[in-house]
């Protein structure tokens, strides 16, 4: 592989830089998670872009120091070129373009979701295709069959909210801290997941070959069900009664919501495993940190299956996964058309999945 490679990630609210060596191992990884958004309970695009601009140089300097290499030794610069917030993306792309030009090394624009596919292999050399990949983040929810790197068959994706977005919105509704995912998981630990019967949107189609939306997800109806349940509780509670209303039900509501979301995500992933006939699963993106999702998929796969999931630093947005996908693209000599910063862009090499006809 070509190395050392610098990987830059600025698609959303993490400014990250990493150096990978020529074996694809992490020599350094620095992640600055922006906290300017906490006050607003969600990412503010303009603030994100400004903070990337302020942080990118110090973050890269720290990554080079940690890797103990000189900027002049870099052999390529890989950058997440999309999808993402356009102002945020432009900071990373413009910075990387200028740096690659100055160093006279290749600039490798990488699709952010291809980066997430390369997260787990940074820690586990076995995390290579073939596998069914469930990518679940704040902006995306995607189920893909990956027979080899660079060949991606889209099984399904979300029709409305992303899984992480649903966790974040429910967290906000329940008065938990931002981002909602980890807070909802923590609150759920003390709750009864059966207290509220929240809907499992599109779950019924999962087991039915040929059914429309079989592997698609939808989280907005689930979120609305939580809104209704919260409104009902708040309407019922007397203003002076602190034990009633939301506070007494928060943990149960978090647990019941998480149960519904995990149920649909795991069920569809396991049905995809059966449909493609491969018992190897990779989960990536911030939501893959959720222990309930990991446990449910592992349980369903049984002893003959394998689940690949990275630690939080390679699952959340980070420069190392971008550098690793960049090394793959450099070797392939094909950047998949990711030439400019793009707020939305298809995953290079991805086509819809068609079930193979069964032999008679
Ligand atoms: O991949 P990521 O770091 O950034 C995006 O590309 O969006 O994912 C962030 C998302 C947030 O929505 C966050 O709430 C969610 O991942 N998340 C979790 C957990 N940890 C982070 N969701 C559920 N359970 C968690 N433990
Ligand atoms: Zn991401």
């Amino acid at each position: 592989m070509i190395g050392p490679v610098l990987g830059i990630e600025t698609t959303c609210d993490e400014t990250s830089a990493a150096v990978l060596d020529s074996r694809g191992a992490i020599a350094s990884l620095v992640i600055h998670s922006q906290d300017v958004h906490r006050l607003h309970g969600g990412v503010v695009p303009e603030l994100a872009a400004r903070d990337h601009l302020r942080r990118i140089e110090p973050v890269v300097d720290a990554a080079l120091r940690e890797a103990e290499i000189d900027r002049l030794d870099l052999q390529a610069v890989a950058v997440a070129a999309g999808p993402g917030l356009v102002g945020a993306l432009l900071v990373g792309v413009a910075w990387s373009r200028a740096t690659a030009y100055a160093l006279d090394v290749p600039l490798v624009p990488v699709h952010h979701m291809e980066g997430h596919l390369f997260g787990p292999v940074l820690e586990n050399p076995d995390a290579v295709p073939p596998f069914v990949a469930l990518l679940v983040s704040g902006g995306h929810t995607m189920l893909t069959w990956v027979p080899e790197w660079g060949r991606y068959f889209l099984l399904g994706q979300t029709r409305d909210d992303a899984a992480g977005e649903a966790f974040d919105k429910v967290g906000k509704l329940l008065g938990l801290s931002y981002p909602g995912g980890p807070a909802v998981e923590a609150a759920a630990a003390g709750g009864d997941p059966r207290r509220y019967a929240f809907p499992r949107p599109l779950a019924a189609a999962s087991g039915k070959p040929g059914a429309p939306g079989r592997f698609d997800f939808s989280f907005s109806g689930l979120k609305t069900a939580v809104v209704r349940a919260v409104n009902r509780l708040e309407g019922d509670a007397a203003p002076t009664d602190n034990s009633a209303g939301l506070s007494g039900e928060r943990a149960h509501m978090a647990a019941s919501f998480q149960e519904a979301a995990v149920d649909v995500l795991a069920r569809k992933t396991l049905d995809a495993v059966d449909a493609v006939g491969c018992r190897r699963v990779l989960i990536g993106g911030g939501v893959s940190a959720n222990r309930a999702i990991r446990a449910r998929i592992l349980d369903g796969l049984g002893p003959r299956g394998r689940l690949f999931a990275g630690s939080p630093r390679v699952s959340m947005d980070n420069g190392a996964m971008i550098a690793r996908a960049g090394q793959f693209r450099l070797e392939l000599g094909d950047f998949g058309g990711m030439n400019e910063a793009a707020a939305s862009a298809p995953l290079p090499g991805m086509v819809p999945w068609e079930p193979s006809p069964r032999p008679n």
Side-chain angles (χ1 to χ4, degrees):
M1 264 185 273
I2 294 169
V5 169
L6 177 68
I8 300 290
E9 158 65 43
T10 66
T11 60
C12 189
D13 59 346
E14 261 90 29
T15 316
S16 177
V19 177
L20 263 56
D21 67 19
S22 54
R23 292 166 297 128
I26 299 178
S28 67
L29 169 55
V30 176
I31 303 174
H32 162 71
S33 292
Q34 303 180 342
D35 50 27
V36 286
H37 309 291
R38 227 167 245 280
L39 271 175
H40 305 275
V43 178
V44 183
E46 177 63 25
L47 295 180
R50 285 178 195 212
D51 204 48
H52 286 307
L53 201 54
R54 204 164 29 232
R55 298 289 180 164
I56 191 156
E57 268 295 334
V59 163
V60 170
D61 280 343
L64 292 172
R65 250 195 331 271
E66 196 181 309
E68 295 180 350
I69 72 154
D70 193 278
R71 205 174 278 230
L72 295 172
D73 295 331
L74 292 171
Q75 298 299 307
V77 179
V79 60
L85 302 171
V86 79
L89 282 170
L90 279 168
V91 175
V93 171
W95 188 93
S96 301
R97 192 179 295 282
T99 301
Y101 182 78
L103 297 176
D104 194 21
V105 298
L107 172 75
V108 193
V110 168
H111 193 285
H112 178 78
M113 299 315 280
E114 186 164 51
H116 276 303
L117 287 175
F118 279 92
V121 78
L122 292 164
E123 296 174 335
N124 176 1
D126 290 347
V128 293
F131 50 66
V132 168
L134 174 70
L135 297 182
V136 270
S137 68
H140 295 269
T141 306
M142 223 164 87
L143 193 55
T144 316
W145 160 230
V146 183
E148 59 183 347
W149 293 126
R151 284 181 69 213
Y152 308 123
F153 294 89
L154 180 66
L155 288 144
Q157 58 193 329
T158 185
R159 294 183 173 185
D160 39 58
D161 294 352
E165 197 178 348
F167 271 92
D168 291 339
K169 286 177 177 169
V170 167
K172 205 168 176 176
L173 272 169
L174 298 182
L176 301 170
S177 59
Y178 179 84
V184 169
E185 179 172 10
D192 173 5
R194 282 175 297 272
R195 173 94 103 196
Y196 294 90
F198 289 138
R200 270 76 166 152
L202 298 175
S206 184
K208 297 185 189 122
R214 181 181 178 197
F215 294 121
D216 280 349
F217 301 96
S218 164
F219 292 103
S220 95
L222 171 56
K223 176 195 66 195
T224 309
V226 180
V227 172
R228 288 218 187 91
V230 169
N231 287 346
R232 242 186 342 261
L233 274 178
E234 289 187 330
D236 289 352
T240 51
D241 182 1
N242 284 334
S243 64
L246 185 54
S247 57
E249 291 298 310
R250 190 173 280 122
H252 302 310
M253 230 177 250
S256 304
F257 159 76
Q258 178 173 271
E259 173 66 23
V262 165
D263 185 20
V264 191
L265 289 165
R267 200 187 305 186
K268 296 214 174 201
T269 304
L270 294 164
D271 281 337
V273 159
D274 289 337
V276 302
C278 173
R279 300 194 78 73
R280 293 163 60 87
V281 172
L282 174 141
I283 53 174
V287 185
S288 73
N290 187 284
R291 275 170 299 237
I293 294 182
R294 293 182 180 210
R296 193 70 58 88
I297 295 175
L298 256 182
D299 188 47
L301 281 172
R304 287 182 305 117
R306 293 287 306 269
L307 175 66
F308 304 110
S311 68
R313 73 173 191 153
V314 298
S315 303
M316 67 193 289
D317 289 352
N318 70 88
M321 69 182 196
I322 302 302
R324 187 64 190 75
Q327 286 178 316
F328 162 69
R329 287 282 157 191
L330 262 175
E331 258 182 8
L332 195 67
D334 175 4
F335 302 164
M338 295 292 300
N339 299 324
E340 299 293 333
S344 65
L347 184 56
M350 190 161 77
V351 295
W353 176 76
E354 303 282 351
S356 50
R358 291 191 182 277
N360 302 320

